[in-house]
Amino acid sequence: MPTFSLPETVFSFGGDEFIYAEITRDMKVESNLKALAVTKELRDRNIPGISDVVSSNASYLVRYNPEVISGKDLVDYLKEIDYTKSDPANLGISVRMLEIPVWYDDPVTRECTDRFIDRHPDPSLSNLEFCMKMNGFSDKEAFIEHHSSIPYLITMLGFMPGTAWQFPLGLKEQEMIQAPKYKSPRTDTPERSVGVGGAFTVIYPVRGSGSYQLIGRSAVPVYDSSQKLADFQDTSFLARLGDLWKYRPVNESEYMRIRKEIKDGTYRFNKKDIELSPLEYVNKGKKYIQELMEDIQ
């Protein structure tokens, strides 16, 4: 089985308190998993002087106290840890795969897109129709099947609390559903809206502004301040870095049934724990992803 190493990480300072580590400039799954592995190692070591560690799509950021540890010494320390995580064969991580039921082309997000049609790149089309056109689909069901057929890796958290950037797995770049954002952001987006921007998919955790193309609405929350559901007992946020989310299309009837279970507090997510291997992913691609999905499709 062929092996390879990731490019050498580039370190730079951001003022007196930050070190920025760029693994690759373009988004690569193995780069993201390396960032996750390095930042986990940093947290586990609990290095004096480090106050925060943040993982991003293909990079990570470290905040430190220069009165406790010098930036030069910390960079040397980071390089040592970073080097040990440069071989994809050693980057296996334990993650969850969760099923996210979605009502595609639902009336709530359609109404929202109608209200802000003047800010859209093509006012003659709905957001979903626009995504179909941009990706060469003429049949709505084929588009939905393509979007929901593979899992999405949560590569970054941010913007609004609970927002998870999700990158498609198992597809070549030309096969990924991609779409430009709005010309000017909407001032209102329904909570649980599913949006596409670039090659990323997001679920809006709460009602607010947004500029991604809306293609449907999740039946389940990704943020629960009440922590009423069993899957939110440890935190109000569903997303974890490294999670895999698999979308499952549902119709109106099933959507409403799930919403009732959410209200009653009885809903449980369909999920499983898996060991994700970047090396297996690089060498086997979509076949490896299909193997991971066997018990959750």
Side-chain angles (χ1 to χ4, degrees), residues 113-131:
T113 61
D114 288 342
R115 282 191 287 127
F116 295 97
I117 202 67
D118 60 315
R119 305 181 183 212
H120 196 267
D122 189 342
S124 67
L125 300 173
S126 70
N127 283 193
L128 188 140
E129 290 169 340
F130 179 70
C131 288

Side-chain angles (χ1 to χ4, degrees), residues 45-198:
R45 294 194 184 189
N46 196 26
I47 301 168
I50 291 182
S51 58
D52 200 7
V53 181
V54 180
S55 178
S56 187
N57 288 325
S59 61
Y60 55 94
L61 185 71
V62 178
R63 185 174 188 178
Y64 67 99
N65 183 345
E67 295 182 359
V68 177
I69 185 171
S70 75
K72 181 180 180 303
D73 288 344
L74 182 54
V75 167
D76 290 340
Y77 200 73
L78 292 176
K79 285 182 178 179
E80 179 266 318
I81 295 175
D82 192 276
Y83 179 77
T84 66
K85 306 298 181 182
S86 292
D87 182 358
N90 299 325
L91 288 185
I93 58 174
S94 299
V95 300
R96 305 177 304 170
M97 182 178 289
L98 292 90
E99 181 184 84
I100 309 294
V102 172
W103 183 4
Y104 285 89
D105 201 23
D106 68 291
V108 173
T109 55
R110 282 205 310 267
E111 186 277 332
C112 177
T113 61
D114 288 342
R115 282 191 287 127
F116 295 97
I117 202 67
D118 60 315
R119 305 181 183 212
H120 196 267
D122 189 342
S124 67
L125 300 173
S126 70
N127 283 193
L128 188 140
E129 290 169 340
F130 179 70
C131 288
M132 288 172 55
K133 179 181 178 181
M134 294 297 298
N135 291 277
F137 287 90
S138 57
D139 180 75
K140 182 174 75 171
E141 296 307 316
F143 172 85
I144 293 172
E145 195 281 330
H146 188 78
H147 183 267
S148 62
S149 65
I150 44 89
Y152 293 77
L153 173 69
I154 295 181
T155 61
M156 188 176 73
L157 303 174
F159 184 56
M160 291 186 292
T163 303
W165 269 258
Q166 307 154 46
F167 190 76
L169 293 183
L171 300 178
K172 298 177 181 178
E173 184 176 353
Q174 62 270 26
E175 297 174 321
M176 298 178 185
I177 290 176
Q178 303 185 51
K181 299 188 291 185
Y182 274 51
K183 295 186 298 181
S184 177
R186 298 177 303 272
T187 57
D188 185 33
T189 305
E191 66 173 17
R192 295 180 283 106
S193 295
V194 179
V196 174

